[in-house]
Amino acid sequence: MLKPLHGDEILSEVALESFFLQDYPDYQLVFGVQSQDDPVLPLIGRLRKRHPGRDVALMVNDTPHGRNRKIANLINMRPLARHELLVISDADVHVPPHFLSDVVATLEMPGVGLVTSLYTGLPGNRDLPALLGAMQINQGFLPGVLLARQLGRQDCLGATMAIRKSLLTRIGGLEALADHLADDQLLGRKVLAAGERVALAPVIPATTVPEESFASLFSHELRWARTIRALEPLGFAASVLQIPLLWAALTLVFSGFGLWSLALFLLVWAARVVLGWRIEAALRIARTREIWLYLLRDFFSTIIYIAGFMGNRVVWRGQSMAADKGHPAPGSRE
């Protein structure tokens, strides 16, 4: 299991320790950082002492490989991986003990070349931005991914990416992803082009939503929005249909605040809340009881949607990048 790291964020220790606790007979954990001064290193040291029997390797290497620093980190880590099956996941992912068993079992199914997974949002604090960020993942992103799969898409999600070394080499290796922001989507496309399937594992990890300010939440969700728009412009344009309270509010305004439109707005609001509760119940996560948060969430989603069309630059871990379509960039190694 490859874990590219950058910094020690809220709940990092809890998330990373969940990978030390897998019910799997033989696996290796490979961590990678790009600086000896990275504050996550003492955390890794504590976890290694706490779990002395676990096979752990650590790479500290700042060699650049293309524009995507996460992929550069993975390229530097890869020589330490000694197993044929590679499972790549982000540092903020929390997994149950059966996670690795479920992922490997799915990868061993006929015709499967890449395994990914859905994921839920876990607020890292009780601040409003973290709660809204988790709502977007659980009630917007996750149902949208499931709908896309029902329509025939096989998207790869970066929270979990499991692949055999032999197939990864055949499709160009990690180097083929090094100049692209949406490395997970590009990996999925390359696997599909090689004639293999992208399958969903029957396990749903959680990812920490650490935002403490609306500015940081805006930056995070704007990166998602502009990346999706670059990859799937028509799909992104249609995603405005996932903001029901926007349409209800527009109806209210353009009808001159008629009684019928007010009743419609309240009905849509109630439906939005009930559907949100049903999704949370299905995912077995805490219910969002404050119904006014659904108004705020759809208002914030509207702002993100509009801003998504107003440029292609995004900021990721302090690095400014252009959201691209996942095609080879001039001067790349593809």
Side-chain angles (χ1 to χ4, degrees):
M1 290 198 286
L2 305 181
K3 302 288 293 183
L5 306 177
H6 178 80
D8 181 6
E9 299 179 343
I10 190 168
L11 298 185
S12 286
E13 188 161 353
V14 176
L16 292 176
E17 187 164 28
S18 68
F19 286 83
F20 282 79
L21 301 173
Q22 292 300 294
D23 293 334
Y24 196 83
D26 182 22
Y27 70 96
Q28 178 195 29
L29 283 167
V30 181
F31 296 104
V33 297
Q34 296 176 304
S35 170
Q36 289 281 5
D37 298 324
D38 196 304
V40 79
L41 288 177
L43 187 159
I44 298 300
R46 290 197 301 272
L47 291 175
R48 295 180 78 167
K49 289 181 180 179
R50 202 177 300 161
H51 304 277
R54 189 61 68 205
D55 184 2
V56 178
L58 174 65
M59 173 62 73
V60 181
N61 190 334
D62 62 355
T63 302
H65 302 274
R67 296 177 295 169
N68 188 320
R69 292 179 183 173
K70 170 187 168 183
I71 296 299
N73 199 356
L74 285 166
I75 291 172
N76 294 333
M77 295 160 57
R78 183 182 53 194
L80 296 182
R82 60 183 185 82
H83 292 281
E84 168 64 12
L85 303 185
L86 302 177
V87 181
I88 302 169
S89 66
D90 293 333
D92 57 0
V93 173
H94 305 245
V95 294
H98 55 84
F99 167 80
L100 187 54
S101 296
D102 289 344
V103 168
V104 172
T106 307
L107 189 58
E108 291 176 344
M109 295 171 60
V112 173
L114 177 66
V115 174
T116 189
S117 73
L118 301 171
Y119 57 89
T120 61
L122 175 65
N125 54 67
R126 297 303 300 173
D127 293 332
L128 195 53
L131 297 177
L132 292 178
M135 286 180 69
Q136 172 60 17
I137 294 173
N138 300 332
Q139 301 177 18
F141 169 78
L142 192 152
V145 172
L146 286 176
L147 176 61
R149 289 196 72 88
Q150 288 295 317
L151 296 175
R153 292 186 60 88
Q154 297 182 40
D155 293 310
C156 176
L157 309 176
T160 304
M161 301 186 293
I163 191 171
R164 294 174 177 83
K165 281 183 179 178
S166 54
L167 177 58
L168 182 60
T169 300
R170 179 153 59 94
I171 62 176
L174 292 167
E175 288 79 3
L177 315 176
D179 284 310
H180 301 281
L181 176 64
D183 49 87
D184 50 356
Q185 291 296 310
L186 182 56
L187 180 61
R189 290 179 178 182
K190 287 183 173 293
V191 168
L192 292 172
E196 304 280 352
R197 290 195 296 123
V198 178
L200 275 181
V203 60
I204 304 180
T207 183
T208 304
V209 181
E211 278 76 22
E212 297 178 346
S213 69
F214 281 99
S216 59
L217 180 64
F218 178 82
S219 177
H220 192 170
E221 294 194 0
L222 181 62
R223 173 166 62 85
W224 285 350
R226 289 183 174 174
T227 300
I228 294 170
R229 181 175 67 85
L231 290 167
E232 298 292 341
L234 292 180
F236 178 75
S239 69
V240 71
L241 299 175
Q242 287 186 286
I243 315 176
L245 286 170
L246 166 63
W247 297 101
L250 289 174
T251 302
L252 187 64
V253 171
F254 285 104
S255 71
F257 295 89
L259 185 60
W260 69 270
S261 61
L262 176 59
L264 176 64
F265 180 86
L266 294 175
L267 180 63
V268 171
W269 187 2
R272 173 80 168 85
V273 172
V274 170
L275 287 173
W277 285 350
R278 292 194 64 181
I279 290 171
E280 290 168 339
L283 294 171
R284 299 179 181 178
I285 58 179
R287 174 180 289 186
T288 305
R289 298 185 181 277
E290 300 86 349
I291 63 173
W292 61 271
L293 286 179
Y294 291 84
L295 285 172
L296 184 57
R297 178 61 260 182
D298 277 19
F299 174 73
F300 197 77
S301 295
T302 301
I303 295 174
I304 294 294
Y305 180 79
I306 294 171
F309 287 100
M310 301 176 67
N312 71 337
R313 302 300 301 182
V314 300
V315 177
W316 184 33
R317 295 192 181 278
Q319 177 187 11
S320 178
M321 296 181 67
D324 61 78
K325 299 181 179 180
H327 302 308
S332 71
R333 286 166 294 283
E334 296 182 65

